[in-house]
Amino acid sequence: MNKVLVVSAEMGEGHNATGRALQDAIGRLWPRATVTWLDTLDVMGRGVGPLFRWIYVSNVQTTPWLYEFFYRSLWRYRWFAAASKRFVAAWCGRRLAREVTRQRPDLVISTYPLGTAGLEWLRRHGKLPVPIGAWISDFAPHPFWVYGDIDLNLVMHECAIEPALRCVPGASVAVSAPPVRAEFKPGDAEAARARLGLPAGAFIALVSCGSLGFGDVGDAAKELLDAHPDVVPVVVCGRNEALLRRLRPLADREPRLRLLGWTDQMAEYTVAADVVVTNAGGATGLEALACGRPVLMHRPIAAHGRANATLMAEAGLAMVCAHDGELAAAVRSLIADPGQGKAMAEAAIRHCTTTGDLTEGLLALAATAAVPSGTRPAGLDTSG
């Protein structure tokens, strides 16, 4: 393998984080390979990235009902999903064509659904004969994530295969190891706490809602503080400096509360935690899964956030805390019965052990180059 192209997008940090994890795996598997990147939103046109990020943030924070309506419509009306995907595919595919032709990659990886749409358009128009794979970092696939004319759609758990095939019957679907950096792995919690200056005997609740600090983070912190005197909430505000300033007075009043801005020590904090509290189940949920940590989904954000939370709970990897008081109740339950958290942690570790590492998904994708187009089996599962 000489050239690998990663098609991602700056929409928060999650899609790029998936790409970086895959780039690390490519380096282990094919040390001499050159990896190049394209940002889908930049390729789609000047100003598209800022506009789409504004739309996403506005929908999540101020008009979640509109975001939920769009998401449900994709599932309810197949014609609407197909038309939306065709429109985006043509827009993105035509813009991607020049760059893909210039770079001439041997293998293409997408971590962003609109990018995958464009890549499928190129495939259907005979402009991209090399293997194309999409890593679906949302725990619950939705119709904009899955495409039938690419070579492999990689989902995050066995329970995600069925909804992926409901999106596009006949698509090639495989289960991937969590696409996270290698440092996200089970470790010594006590040693991690000592390095981070966290109390050894406390119940550490790591609150992380992505780089944008979406959702009711402040309410989560307050509820965790009220849940039990042994709880030490560690709140990661990411790049949301306004959230950090807003929570500072609470931290000044309550020394148990630890506040962080952007940190490069997320893997260590995850290992040190008893639970990870989040609201969408994207990159943060996958990082917790890779570290063998149970997840509490606090007031999941609309649409894909709620779907991710529901599916993670069905897989035994998360507890959903959608209403006031449920987060505190879940924490008290885990403190009173440590076996609950242990069972969730064991389920996460068992899943990660079964799926191996990211190089296996890359090898499965590369192997499709030898299979004639149109003959690949539907519902392919390479989970082991």
Side-chain angles (χ1 to χ4, degrees):
M1 194 64 60
N2 296 316
K3 295 181 181 179
V4 180
L5 174 63
V6 176
V7 178
S8 185
E10 185 181 338
M11 185 67 75
E13 286 292 324
H15 299 287
N16 285 339
T18 298
R20 286 192 292 271
L22 288 163
Q23 182 170 357
D24 288 349
I26 290 165
R28 297 192 300 272
L29 184 60
W30 302 302
R32 296 185 179 181
T34 300
V35 179
T36 57
W37 287 63
L38 287 176
D39 186 298
T40 303
L41 300 179
D42 288 346
V43 170
M44 289 173 72
R46 185 177 180 180
V48 172
L51 175 63
F52 276 36
R53 286 188 285 273
W54 176 82
I55 291 172
Y56 176 59
V57 172
S58 297
N59 277 338
V60 169
Q61 294 187 326
T62 62
T63 56
W65 60 269
L66 182 60
Y67 189 31
E68 189 73 40
F69 175 77
F70 175 75
Y71 183 84
R72 290 186 181 277
S73 296
L74 289 174
W75 279 105
R76 186 172 299 167
Y77 306 111
R78 190 174 294 274
W79 66 266
F80 176 69
S84 299
K85 291 168 76 172
R86 280 198 302 270
F87 172 76
V88 169
W91 178 7
C92 184
R94 288 188 173 96
R95 296 298 187 105
L96 278 172
R98 179 182 301 174
E99 286 294 329
V100 171
T101 300
R102 181 177 64 83
Q103 297 195 25
R104 301 182 66 184
D106 301 305
L107 184 143
V108 182
I109 291 166
S110 175
T111 69
Y112 185 59
L114 275 62
T116 312
L119 294 171
E120 186 191 51
W121 186 90
L122 291 173
R123 166 62 59 78
R124 285 192 281 108
H125 286 77
K127 299 177 183 293
L128 192 55
V130 303
I132 306 168
W135 265 258
I136 300 173
S137 53
D138 274 325
F139 202 82
H142 57 72
F144 241 107
W145 261 122
V146 184
Y147 293 84
D149 288 329
I150 68 167
D151 299 290
L152 211 50
N153 297 269
L154 283 301
V155 297
M156 299 297 102
H157 195 275
E158 292 84 354
C159 66
I161 294 175
E162 188 274 332
L165 291 174
R166 272 197 289 123
C167 294
V168 180
S172 282
V173 179
V175 178
S176 171
V180 299
R181 302 290 291 267
E183 58 262 34
F184 286 96
K185 59 185 179 181
D188 187 331
E190 291 186 8
R193 292 183 183 198
R195 288 190 293 269
L196 296 169
L198 298 173
F203 185 93
I204 306 296
L206 179 65
V207 182
S208 175
C209 296
S211 65
L212 300 175
F214 272 157
D216 301 317
V217 179
D219 288 347
K222 293 173 186 175
E223 202 167 323
L224 288 166
L225 288 168
D226 292 340
H228 194 280
D230 289 343
V231 175
V232 172
V234 179
V235 178
V236 183
C237 300
R239 303 193 189 281
N240 191 334
E241 295 182 4
L243 174 63
L244 188 63
R245 290 193 299 270
R246 194 162 63 247
L247 291 179
R248 184 65 64 190
L250 179 61
D252 290 340
R253 295 193 305 271
E254 178 47 77
R256 280 186 293 147
L257 177 59
R258 311 293 179 91
L259 295 181
L260 302 172
W262 182 258
T263 176
D264 294 324
Q265 295 179 289
M266 277 302 297
E268 195 143 35
Y269 277 105
T270 305
V271 168
D274 290 287
V275 294
V276 175
V277 180
T278 188
N279 61 6
T284 299
L286 297 180
E287 289 164 358
L289 182 65
C291 291
R293 291 296 177 262
V295 175
L296 301 181
M297 289 287 189
H298 177 247
R299 298 181 192 170
I301 62 174
H304 75 291
R306 292 173 185 165
N308 287 338
T310 298
L311 200 60
M312 284 192 78
E314 290 177 1
L317 302 170
M319 298 171 65
V320 180
C321 309
H323 305 291
D324 291 350
E326 291 184 349
L327 178 60
V331 166
R332 285 193 292 268
S333 175
L334 290 171
I335 292 174
D337 179 11
Q340 292 184 73
K342 183 180 179 182
M344 294 167 70
E346 289 174 348
I349 293 171
R350 185 165 56 249
H351 168 68
C352 294
T353 301
T354 301
T355 54
D357 66 22
L358 286 176
T359 61
E360 295 181 26
L362 290 167
L363 286 170
L365 176 59
T368 65
V371 181
S373 178
T375 66
R376 297 180 187 112
L380 174 66
D381 178 5
T382 63
S383 63

